[in-house]
Amino acid sequence: MSNQRFNAIANSHTRSKLEIEETGRRSEYFGVNVFNEERMLQYLTKDAYDRVKAAVVSGAKIDRKVADQVAEGMKTWAISMGATHYTHWFQPLTGATAEKHDAFFDFSPEGRVMEKFGGGQLVQQESDASSFPNGGIRNTFEARGYTAWDPTSPAFLYGTTLCIPTVFVAYTGEALDNKAPLLRALGAMDEAATAVAKYFDKNVTKVYATLGWEQEYFLIDKSLAFSRPDISLAGRTLVGHSAAKGQQLDDHYFGVIPNRVLNFMKDLEMECTKLGIPVKTRHNEVAPNQFELAPIFEETNLAVDHNLLLMDVMEKIADKHFFKVLFHEKPFKDINGSGKHNNWSLATDTGVNLLSPGSTPMKNLQFLTFFVNTIKAVDNYEELLRSSIASASNDHRLGANEAPPAILSIFIGEQLNEVLNELEGVTKGKLSPEEKTELKLNVVGKIPEILLDNTDRNRTSPFAFTGNKFEMRGVGSKSNCAKPMTVLNTIVAKQLIAFKKEVDQLVDKKGLKKDEAIFNVLREYIKTSKRIRFEGDGYSEAWENEAKSRGLSNNKNTPQALQVLTSKESLALFKSMNVLSEIEVRVRQEVELEEYILHIQIEGRVFTELAYGYIIPAAVEYQNKLIKNVVGLKEIYGAAHKKMSESQLDIVERISEHIRAIKIKTDAMVDERKKANNMSDINKKAFAYCDNVRPYFDEIRYHCDKLEQVVGDEYWPLTKYRELLFIK
């Protein structure tokens, strides 16, 4: 059994870096594989181009005639680039992407061979909705689903396939994907934020939510990764003792990038650049063999598509370089896990970042308006926002002393806290000229100076203001950003609608000036959302106790976190904002609970395989060798052997104790899994897996890892941490 491990190590040592030559400036080939504006101008009529642009900017409908023109232009361009197939590229509730390829090849009515792709194929395709997660709302006999073109995200060429970003809906109209709700949330945000932005600039006609994600990941040699059944099937190491050296020397973070990895990064960045993904930053992360990639900010829908595409491309390029890329949030014990920080802001079509202070008091009042409303929105719906980052894999990371805790709080820095505290003291109603001057010049006017030194020092904060954006740090590294971005944009849009209504009432009914009304409403929001602001250490037990006293939720596992989805408040929120119907919300809750169950179930099965197929046999084999040694000593030395074999016998006994514990706990875990599988209620089943099955994992692992320490290295069948993490 151990041969597999040593063969994998031998293979990894034979790797030579795959040389990648970067040619030309990135700007020269950025987006060459994207049907972007430049290509549309070249391949579409002016009318078709204008109609597509109108659909992107204002959501205008594209009729069949125009769709045919667009399809013809896309086809001509794609075939000229070597494309042979097309696909609707969508985001089912699996969290990944899906595609079905069809060839352009077809026959004409006269039987002649031709390349065919029309408006019908562009705009809509039919798929089997029963084969994707659907929460049980579709019977097999009524399982049709449809993918529909999303013109706001440009088509792109991946290999020889034209990929068309689409939404995925059931035949009855319910969204069965992550993109459709995101688009609805972004539409709601645009409408709500534009109405408020007009208080400060009448020329604003559209507001875009922007997103800049930071993708963390591990790279492991492919042979080493595939020598581990747990990495292959569960995406993480279920067992494995820590290496003597981990990340304690901080010598990996921002260190020199290993040659093989650097060539992987070059290859990846070239492919991303061709696909229009604006990758910019690359570096070593904290843990050994952990890295990070980050792009330039984009409009949120496009950024989400690009992140999903990036993960697909990373796996393809990693394989080419004999790597396995791990997106699991916690693939290795006792070293840092991986997240996907979501940097979120709002930008107007006039080029203004609404979360960036300006050069005048009025611009800073605009900043404060969107800043405080965001804080208020997160305070109102902190539990719902927490649910958007819940998953079986992310449960390992949240609150694990290197990541944000499961408690949602906001860090804004000492100086901005002082500004809000001063605004909290604003007089109710009309302001005197002196108060207006004090506020605008000595409070609001100083914000740009304050932010010059307002660097984000609290890395434990799950939701931090970092100068001109909010950074949501709890998002898991393999998550689809669409989920947290849908919730965040929905709750902020809801809050902005409420804000505008209150301001308008003060202006219309109380006769207050616009800026006075804004100050009055912001003052109340600052008071009522104070509990969510926290500047301290998110890991401490003291904070957990304080957060509880403040009334903040602390849902430490996924089944707990997902319960809020179907609360009256959540259902009312999504319905009022036209983001998700009650059926769509309940579908998502059921799908995510089922996904949680399946992940734990798979890990439980892998544990059984590891225990009985790898670890116990290896331990017994080594134990037999020790026993044979003891017997030999006895044969040679007689009674005198006892002192000579004392250590061997001690190890034999320790091995027996660990083997016995592994068997007892593995069998008990299997029994609990069987009990859980017999439950029909999805909630009870999820909690059973969480409370009764999963706790055995740590107990079984403890004894497996102890055996790894005492069993001879040549007998141990599983590739060890020192090999997985330090073979470059």
Side-chain angles (χ1 to χ4, degrees):
M1 190 68 70
S2 59
N3 286 340
Q4 184 180 12
R5 171 188 163 207
F6 291 111
N7 288 338
I9 294 170
N11 284 338
S12 69
H13 284 307
T14 65
R15 309 288 191 213
S16 58
K17 65 178 182 179
L18 186 62
E19 294 290 349
I20 301 297
E21 185 177 347
E22 293 183 280
T23 56
R25 298 178 179 180
R26 296 276 175 95
S27 58
E28 293 174 350
Y29 60 93
F30 180 76
V32 294
N33 289 343
V34 182
F35 195 69
N36 53 21
E37 285 194 36
E38 182 182 342
R39 308 282 147 16
M40 287 195 291
L41 284 168
Q42 184 178 355
Y43 286 92
L44 301 185
T45 64
K46 185 178 185 305
D47 178 56
Y49 171 82
D50 290 341
R51 296 293 291 277
V52 173
K53 287 293 292 179
V56 172
V57 174
S58 61
K61 297 287 185 182
I62 295 178
D63 61 34
R64 180 59 183 268
K65 181 180 177 181
V66 172
D68 284 336
Q69 293 178 31
V70 175
E72 182 62 30
M74 274 190 190
K75 182 191 74 174
T76 303
W77 168 73
I79 290 175
S80 74
M81 296 288 288
T84 58
H85 290 70
Y86 65 91
T87 182
H88 276 198
W89 186 77
F90 58 104
Q91 304 172 28
L93 297 178
T94 58
T97 60
E99 52 196 67
K100 179 190 74 171
H101 297 191
D102 286 302
F104 289 117
F105 177 86
D106 208 338
F107 288 105
S108 70
E110 298 79 22
R112 295 176 182 172
V113 176
M114 61 182 292
E115 277 77 32
K116 183 179 179 182
F117 180 64
Q121 288 90 356
L122 168 64
V123 172
Q124 182 175 298
Q125 291 279 279
E126 185 173 324
S127 181
D128 182 0
S130 68
S131 299
F132 290 105
N134 57 56
I137 64 168
R138 297 275 73 80
N139 294 313
T140 302
F141 67 85
E142 55 180 13
R144 289 194 312 278
Y146 298 100
T147 50
W149 175 36
D150 170 21
T152 65
S153 185
F156 56 91
L157 194 65
Y158 191 37
T160 58
T161 304
L162 174 66
C163 299
I164 303 157
T166 59
V167 298
F168 179 43
V169 298
Y171 82 101
T172 49
E174 294 98 354
L176 293 177
D177 69 343
N178 288 303
K179 178 183 271 276
L182 176 64
L183 290 174
R184 296 170 189 164
L186 294 174
M189 172 59 80
D190 173 24
E191 185 177 348
T194 298
V196 173
K198 283 182 177 294
Y199 281 147
F200 308 97
D201 183 356
K202 296 293 185 183
N203 295 317
V204 174
T205 59
K206 190 172 183 63
V207 171
Y208 302 89
T210 62
L211 171 64
W213 38 261
E214 303 167 20
Q215 181 68 60
E216 294 176 340
Y217 61 97
F218 282 84
L219 277 181
I220 307 299
D221 184 89
K222 186 163 65 172
S223 292
L224 299 178
F226 288 133
S227 72
R228 296 278 308 220
D230 45 2
I231 291 179
S232 299
L233 298 177
R236 73 177 181 107
T237 55
L238 297 177
V239 299
H241 196 278
S242 302
K245 179 180 182 291
Q247 63 188 48
Q248 63 267 49
L249 296 179
D250 296 323
D251 55 344
H252 189 258
Y253 191 51
F254 279 25
V256 176
I257 300 172
N259 283 334
R260 274 184 69 195
V261 176
L262 186 59
N263 280 279
F264 157 80
M265 289 177 170
K266 288 179 182 177
D267 203 358
L268 173 65
E269 289 175 4
M270 289 171 63
E271 187 71 20
C272 286
T273 301
K274 293 174 185 176
L275 289 166
I277 305 173
V279 293
K280 185 175 178 67
T281 303
R282 65 191 185 201
H283 63 83
N284 288 3
E285 253 300 330
V286 174
N289 275 352
Q290 185 187 32
F291 308 94
E292 181 177 300
L293 175 152
I296 298 170
F297 281 52
E298 298 180 282
E299 188 276 323
T300 298
N301 179 45
L302 185 57
V304 168
D305 282 1
H306 278 166
N307 181 249
L308 291 169
L309 178 57
L310 170 91
M311 291 194 287
D312 291 341
V313 175
M314 284 180 78
E315 291 185 333
K316 173 185 173 184
I317 302 296
D319 188 67
K320 177 180 172 182
H321 289 259
F322 300 99
F323 282 124
K324 170 72 174 173
V325 59
L326 303 183
F327 292 117
H328 194 287
E329 285 79 2
K330 194 72 172 177
F332 301 100
K333 186 182 178 184
D334 295 330
I335 62 173
N336 276 18
S338 298
K340 180 149 51 191
H341 295 182
N342 277 208
N343 294 278
W344 172 87
S345 193
L346 298 169
T348 69
D349 58 349
T350 57
V352 174
N353 180 347
L354 294 171
L355 286 172
S356 181
S359 56
T360 66
M362 183 54 74
K363 288 182 179 178
N364 288 331
L365 183 56
Q366 175 179 265
F367 156 72
L368 282 170
T369 293
F370 288 92
F371 177 69
V372 173
N373 272 282
T374 301
I375 294 172
K376 177 65 173 169
V378 174
D379 178 62
N380 288 343
Y381 294 100
E382 48 89 15
E383 192 171 12
L384 182 61
L385 195 57
R386 160 68 180 96
S387 75
S388 71
I389 57 175
S391 70
S393 54
N394 209 20
D395 281 357
H396 291 280
R397 173 175 166 265
L398 295 178
N401 291 333
E402 93 265 343
I407 305 168
L408 254 292
S409 64
I410 298 178
F411 171 87
I412 63 173
E414 182 181 347
Q415 297 91 342
L416 278 174
N417 258 318
E418 290 178 5
V419 170
L420 296 195
N421 290 338
E422 289 198 52
L423 289 174
E424 194 178 335
V426 172
T427 302
K428 188 173 183 180
K430 293 186 177 181
L431 304 177
S432 68
E434 292 78 15
E435 285 177 309
K436 279 193 177 184
T437 301
E438 170 67 20
L439 278 171
K440 291 184 177 179
L441 296 181
N442 298 324
V443 179
V444 178
K446 288 184 177 179
I447 289 175
E449 298 172 27
I450 288 170
L451 292 184
L452 286 176
D453 191 37
N454 190 42
T455 51
D456 175 23
R457 298 183 180 91
N458 187 347
R459 304 304 294 175
T460 69
S461 174
F463 200 89
F465 183 71
T466 55
N468 60 0
K469 62 190 183 299
F470 281 99
E471 184 175 2
M472 189 174 178
R473 297 203 182 103
V475 182
S477 52
K478 73 175 184 178
S479 297
N480 184 337
C481 299
K483 288 164 61 179
M485 287 298 101
T486 296
V487 173
L488 180 58
N489 283 284
T490 300
I491 64 177
V492 175
K494 176 76 171 176
Q495 179 54 46
L496 289 171
I497 291 170
F499 170 77
K500 186 174 188 304
K501 183 178 180 181
E502 290 185 54
V503 170
D504 288 348
Q505 284 180 340
L506 290 178
V507 172
D508 297 338
K509 296 181 180 179
K510 301 290 186 180
L512 270 62
K513 298 289 186 182
K514 180 180 67 178
D515 55 350
E516 290 176 330
I518 290 172
F519 276 127
N520 272 261
V521 177
L522 292 182
R523 177 200 61 209
E524 294 305 311
Y525 289 172
I526 292 167
K527 289 179 180 178
T528 56
S529 64
K530 213 166 185 176
R531 66 168 189 160
I532 201 73
R533 285 155 45 199
F534 176 63
E535 303 295 303
D537 182 359
Y539 302 149
S540 67
E541 185 178 342
W543 167 233
E544 284 201 24
N545 294 331
E546 184 182 339
K548 185 177 181 180
S549 69
R550 293 187 185 190
L552 295 173
S553 66
N554 185 11
N555 295 320
K556 294 185 177 183
N557 59 63
T558 294
Q560 281 182 341
L562 293 178
Q563 297 309 302
V564 71
L565 282 175
T566 48
S567 69
K568 289 182 180 179
E569 294 78 11
S570 296
L571 293 173
L573 165 74
F574 288 124
K575 182 179 179 181
S576 67
M577 300 303 292
N578 295 314
V579 171
L580 289 166
S581 68
E582 182 173 340
I583 291 176
E584 289 171 327
V585 175
R586 293 189 182 279
V587 162
R588 277 154 180 75
Q589 185 186 56
E590 183 158 336
V591 166
E592 291 185 39
L593 286 169
E594 181 68 23
E595 183 182 17
Y596 176 86
I597 291 166
L598 293 174
H599 271 97
I600 307 302
Q601 185 183 78
I602 290 168
E603 289 189 350
R605 289 173 174 171
V606 175
F607 254 118
T608 305
E609 180 182 347
L610 290 175
Y612 283 107
Y614 288 76
I615 292 167
I616 291 177
V620 169
E621 185 180 2
Y622 183 64
Q623 190 181 48
N624 286 339
K625 184 178 178 68
L626 292 173
I627 293 171
K628 186 177 181 181
N629 175 258
V630 171
V631 171
L633 289 171
K634 183 178 181 181
E635 289 176 355
I636 296 172
Y637 296 102
H641 86 283
K642 290 184 179 180
K643 187 174 182 181
M644 302 170 66
S645 60
E646 184 179 350
S647 296
Q648 294 94 312
L649 289 170
D650 177 62
I651 295 173
V652 167
E653 290 174 9
R654 285 162 62 191
I655 289 174
S656 292
E657 289 171 4
H658 291 306
I659 289 174
R660 182 173 182 275
I662 290 170
K663 183 183 184 306
I664 290 172
K665 292 179 184 300
T666 300
D667 290 349
M669 179 264 291
V670 171
D671 288 341
E672 290 297 339
R673 209 171 68 225
K674 289 177 179 177
K675 291 177 186 176
N677 290 339
N678 288 327
M679 296 178 179
S680 57
D681 184 285
I682 192 77
N683 268 299
K684 291 180 180 178
K685 191 173 183 178
F687 277 107
Y689 263 95
C690 180
D691 298 333
N692 303 333
V693 177
R694 192 168 187 167
Y696 279 109
F697 293 1
D698 288 338
E699 297 178 20
I700 297 169
R701 177 174 193 148
Y702 170 81
H703 294 284
C704 292
D705 291 355
K706 286 297 182 182
L707 282 176
E708 184 181 329
Q709 285 186 294
V710 298
V711 171
D713 185 66
E714 69 273 23
Y715 290 86
W716 195 252
L718 298 171
T719 309
K720 296 187 175 183
Y721 270 31
R722 68 167 186 262
E723 296 144 1
L724 291 167
L725 294 172
F726 291 97
I727 293 178
K728 305 296 182 184

